[in-house]
Amino acid sequence: MKRITELVLIVVMVMLVSVGCGDTTEKSKTKPQAVTNLSKPDSTKWHYVEKYDIYYQTGIDYCEKPADEQYEQLAVFVPGAYLDASDNGDGTYTCKVSESAELNGYSAATAPIMMPIETPGYAAAKALNDEILMTHQGMLEQLSYYTSQGFVFVLSGCRGTNEGAPTGVTDLKAAIRYIRYADDVIAGDAESIFVYGMSGGGAQAAILGASGDSELYTPYLEAIGAVQGVSDAVAGVMAWCPVTNLDTANAEYEWMMGCTRPKRTDELNAISDKLAHAYADYVNSAGFTDENGKPLTLTESKEGIFQAGSYYDHVKGVIETSLNHYLSDRDFTADSAQEYIDGLNTDKKWISYDKRTNTASITSIADFAKHCKTASDMPVAFDGLQGKHTLFGSGDGERSHFDRILADILTELNSEYAADFAADLVKANFVGHTVETRVNLYSPLFYLMKSREGYGTSNIAKYWRIRSGIEQKTNSLTTEINLALALKSCDKVDNVDFETVWAQDHTEAERSGNSTENYIAWVNTCTKG
C-alpha cells in the first residue's frame, strides 16, 4: 500500500496554510488569492421564503469544467437576519450581507456554515435546483432547523461510486473552495465550515476532515476546474456510523465478528482466520495509543485470534462503557435493570451486573459479538472474492478489487482469486494513481497516523463528533474506535467527542434526544467556546 513515489511534493499549499496534524481554520494575516474564472453568486437573484425567513440560491456552479452539471452545483440558504434585501418585483431579491445583524449570538461574519454530506454507500448526490426544492417543501422545514439557529446552510451535489473514488470527495472539496472564494457574497464564516453525514456520508465527511488541502487531490481538482489558491479544509466533522478506512475494513470485521459466522469451506475459514491475524499485525504496527500515550497492542490468546492485549482491553472497555451509559440513561429500577441483563443472558451468562453500583461488565468481545453484533452472511464483508465494486473502479464502468491485505492472503493461499486481486490493485487511472493510492485518499487514518505516509501532508479539522450504533452489522466497531484514537493523538485537534450507543443499529445514533439538536448544540459548543 505504501507508494511514497506517488506522493506529490507540497509546494503551493505550504505557502497558504499550515500543514500537519494541526489547526486548519485560523485565517492568515494575508488572505490567499483565489484563482478562477467562476462567477460569484448573483446578488440580484436571491429567492425568499417568508415562512422560514430564509434567502436562497440554487444551481450555483462550483467548478469551471464540471464532469456532470446535474451533480456539480451547490445551493445556499441564509438566515434573513444576515441580509439587507430589496424586492426586485419579479419574485427575486437583491441582497447585501449585513454587517450589524445578529442571530443566536452569531453575525453574518461569524456564523458557522453547515454542509451535509448525503451520500449513503458513497453514492452520488444530485444538485438541488428550484424545481426539486419546490416539490419537496419538507426540505425547507428541515434545513430551517439550522438557519433559525443562526447557521448558513450549504447543500452540495457530488458524483459518486459510478465515477470511482475520489470523485465524490473531490467535488465536495471543490464546493468548499468555492464557498471560500465567494465568502464576501455568501454570509457566514468560511473558516468555520462543518460537514456532517451518516454511513457513507459520514465516511466522506471524515475524509474531508482528515484530508484538507492534500496535494494528492490536486490533479482531480484541476481536472474539473476547481477554484485554486484557497483551502478545502474544514473546521468540524459530525460522522454517524461512518463506513470508512476501507483498507482495513475486511480485517477489522473478521477480527471482531468472524467468530459469529458458521463454518464454511476450508478456504473461506482460512481467509477469515488470516484476516483476523492480519488485523492484529496492523494494530501492532499502526501506533495506536491510549490517553496517556501508552501503546495499544494485541497479543495471542488461548481462545479466539489475538483476543488479548491492551488494544483488546480498550475495545472491551468501550463496549462496557456503552452498556453502562445505557443503564444510567434509562429509567431503570435496580430490579428492572437486573431483568434487562437477565434477558441478555438468556442463552449464556456473558454480562455480570452489580445492583449496588448499577454497572455491568462483559465476559469477552466474542460473546458480545455473538449476542449483539453477528456478522453478515457474506464470506468477506467489503471486498468480496468474486463481486467487485465500482467505488474503486476508474469511472469507465469497470469494477475493481481494492483490499491489499486480502490480496496478499489470497496469494499466500494460492487462491484462484489471487491474480485478479493483484491485477486490480495496480491499475492506474487518468492521473496515474493506482487503486491502492486511491484507497489511501479515501482513508482518514492515512492522514492521521504517524505510521502512514499521508501523516503531516494535510490540514485536519479541529472539531470531531462521532456516533455509532453498537449493534450495526455494517462494519466493525473498531472503525469508529480507531478513528477516535487517531484523532485524540493529534495534539492540535481540539475536540473529539466519541460515543457508541447501546441497543442502536446503523442509524444517527444518540444516547438521548434528537440527533439534529444534539449536533447543533455541539457546534455551538465548538464555536462559542
Side-chain angles (χ1 to χ4, degrees):
M1 246 180 246
K2 299 185 176 180
R3 291 288 186 269
I4 297 176
T5 57
E6 292 186 331
L7 289 174
V8 183
L9 291 175
I10 298 174
V11 179
V12 178
M13 296 310 296
V14 135
M15 297 184 292
L16 300 180
V17 288
S18 62
V19 175
C21 194
D23 187 340
T24 69
T25 57
E26 289 187 9
K27 292 184 179 180
S28 59
K29 293 181 180 179
T30 302
K31 185 177 179 179
Q33 183 64 47
V35 179
T36 185
N37 292 315
L38 288 166
S39 299
K40 295 182 180 181
D42 189 336
S43 62
T44 70
K45 299 296 184 183
W46 289 94
H47 296 275
Y48 182 62
V49 182
E50 183 176 6
K51 180 178 180 180
Y52 302 112
D53 191 23
I54 296 172
Y55 289 95
Y56 73 90
Q57 288 194 37
T58 67
I60 301 170
D61 294 325
Y62 61 69
C63 55
E64 292 182 39
K65 298 177 285 186
D68 195 330
E69 286 190 344
Q70 67 175 324
Y71 298 106
E72 293 163 305
Q73 292 183 333
L74 58 80
V76 180
F77 301 84
V78 180
Y82 295 155
L83 297 177
D84 294 327
S86 59
D87 192 338
N88 296 329
D90 61 357
T92 64
Y93 293 78
T94 297
C95 296
K96 180 181 178 182
V97 176
S98 172
E99 297 182 0
S100 58
E102 291 190 357
L103 181 60
N104 192 32
Y106 295 115
S107 68
T110 64
I113 297 174
M114 311 297 270
M115 185 172 173
I117 313 298
E118 299 179 344
T119 56
Y122 294 83
K126 282 193 175 182
L128 181 66
N129 57 37
D130 289 350
E131 181 180 355
I132 295 173
L133 185 62
M134 290 301 102
T135 55
H136 294 81
Q137 288 289 305
M139 294 181 65
L140 282 168
E141 181 178 4
Q142 292 173 11
L143 64 88
S144 72
Y145 296 155
Y146 297 94
T147 56
S148 66
Q149 295 297 310
F151 304 128
V152 173
F153 192 91
V154 174
L155 188 60
S156 174
C158 64
R159 292 167 294 164
T161 52
N162 289 341
E163 293 74 28
T167 54
V169 171
T170 296
D171 287 349
L172 295 166
K173 283 176 173 285
I176 291 165
R177 290 184 175 203
Y178 181 87
I179 293 167
R180 283 197 167 88
Y181 158 63
D183 68 347
D184 57 335
V185 177
I186 299 174
D189 183 358
E191 303 307 317
S192 188
I193 298 172
F194 284 74
V195 294
Y196 65 98
M198 209 284 282
S199 190
Q204 296 205 120
I207 298 164
L208 286 165
S211 68
D213 305 321
S214 167
E215 284 291 309
L216 287 173
Y217 279 89
T218 297
Y220 302 100
L221 289 162
E222 290 177 343
I224 62 172
V227 178
Q228 300 297 309
V230 294
S231 172
D232 53 58
V234 299
V237 175
M238 171 71 243
W240 287 280
C241 298
V243 183
T244 190
N245 293 318
L246 298 176
D247 52 342
T248 59
N250 274 331
E252 293 181 46
Y253 203 88
E254 297 307 311
W255 177 80
M256 172 169 268
M257 301 157 69
C259 63
T260 70
R261 281 206 182 94
K263 293 299 181 181
R264 298 175 182 269
T265 66
D266 289 344
E267 181 182 33
L268 292 179
N269 291 336
I271 289 171
S272 177
D273 288 351
K274 285 184 176 294
L275 282 168
H277 277 92
Y279 184 62
D281 292 339
Y282 164 74
V283 167
N284 292 340
S285 63
F288 293 116
T289 59
D290 66 12
E291 58 186 10
N292 298 315
K294 181 180 178 181
L296 295 176
T297 59
L298 288 169
T299 59
E300 294 189 39
S301 54
K302 292 181 179 179
E303 295 183 3
I305 299 173
F306 280 84
Q307 298 290 296
S310 53
Y311 179 89
Y312 176 90
D313 292 339
H314 179 80
V315 175
K316 182 172 177 284
V318 170
I319 296 168
E320 290 174 337
T321 297
S322 179
L323 172 55
N324 286 317
H325 282 164
Y326 182 80
L327 294 174
S328 64
D329 293 341
R330 300 268 296 193
D331 188 20
F332 280 127
T333 65
D335 288 338
S336 62
Q338 182 67 68
E339 289 176 359
Y340 174 72
I341 297 298
D342 289 344
L344 295 175
N345 284 335
T346 299
D347 297 331
K348 172 187 177 182
K349 184 176 179 180
W350 62 281
I351 301 176
S352 296
Y353 175 65
D354 185 333
K355 283 187 179 182
R356 183 179 58 83
T357 60
N358 191 34
T359 58
S361 60
I362 65 173
T363 52
S364 68
I365 293 175
D367 283 338
F368 158 75
K370 290 172 183 176
H371 286 84
C372 298
K373 201 174 174 72
T374 55
S376 68
D377 290 335
M378 299 167 62
V380 182
F382 292 90
D383 190 4
L385 299 179
Q386 294 175 310
K388 298 186 183 184
H389 295 261
T390 56
L391 180 58
F392 293 105
S394 299
D396 55 4
E398 292 292 323
R399 296 169 176 254
S400 179
H401 290 297
F402 60 85
D403 187 339
R404 164 55 67 185
I405 295 174
L406 178 56
D408 289 345
I409 289 171
L410 295 175
T411 298
E412 180 185 347
L413 293 173
N414 293 316
S415 169
E416 62 180 300
Y417 304 107
D420 196 20
F421 270 74
D424 282 351
L425 286 167
V426 297
K427 287 180 180 176
N429 66 357
F430 74 101
V431 303
H433 284 168
T434 64
V435 169
E436 284 191 83
T437 298
R438 291 190 291 123
V439 171
N440 285 338
L441 266 70
Y442 261 36
S443 299
L445 266 61
F446 174 73
Y447 296 99
L448 298 175
M449 299 299 294
K450 291 180 181 179
S451 57
R452 304 293 294 276
E453 296 94 330
Y455 181 80
T457 67
S458 67
N459 286 301
I460 298 164
K462 291 174 65 174
Y463 310 109
W464 293 74
R465 187 173 189 268
I466 305 162
R467 291 293 184 275
S468 67
I470 202 166
E471 293 186 2
Q472 62 175 326
K473 313 299 189 294
T474 311
N475 52 292
S476 171
L477 177 58
T478 54
T479 300
E480 293 90 353
I481 289 176
N482 290 352
L483 179 57
L485 284 171
L487 289 166
K488 288 177 180 179
S489 70
C490 292
D491 57 3
K492 295 296 181 66
V493 174
D494 288 358
N495 181 304
V496 183
D497 182 352
F498 165 63
E499 291 262 10
T500 186
V501 185
W502 192 262
Q504 292 201 34
D505 208 314
H506 193 65
T507 186
E508 291 183 357
E510 297 285 342
R511 280 175 57 186
S512 63
N514 175 277
S515 60
T516 298
E517 293 174 357
N518 291 347
Y519 170 50
I520 288 173
W522 173 74
V523 173
N524 285 331
T525 299
C526 295
T527 57
K528 295 181 179 180

